[in-house]
Amino acid sequence: QLTHKALLAVLQKNGIEVLDPAGESFNADLHEAVGIDPNAAADIVGTVLQKGYNLNGRLLRPALVRVGQ
């Protein structure tokens, strides 16, 4: 856990931010919908399958999510 925390600190220091959109509204610019989550409200991210990453405000990898119908 300490190594993971240190790695995240180094990434943040160099401008990389983790996108964890659980419970947020779906944004096609930041998220990639790969399925429907029957337990989530409409247009709300229900399940995050893979976190996304930003580098200095630019998208490196979109978060793979399941969205409510």
Side-chain angles (χ1 to χ4, degrees), residues 12-60:
Q12 285 181 345
K13 184 177 178 182
N14 290 303
I16 296 179
E17 300 171 359
V18 178
L19 296 175
D20 189 10
E24 297 178 4
S25 62
F26 178 75
N27 181 352
D29 294 331
L30 300 176
H31 313 134
E32 183 176 341
V34 294
I36 296 172
D37 190 349
N39 298 327
D43 293 329
I44 300 295
V45 174
T47 307
V48 178
L49 302 173
Q50 189 176 53
K51 295 179 183 176
Y53 294 93
N54 275 341
L55 173 62
N56 296 326
R58 296 178 66 192
L59 186 65
L60 284 178

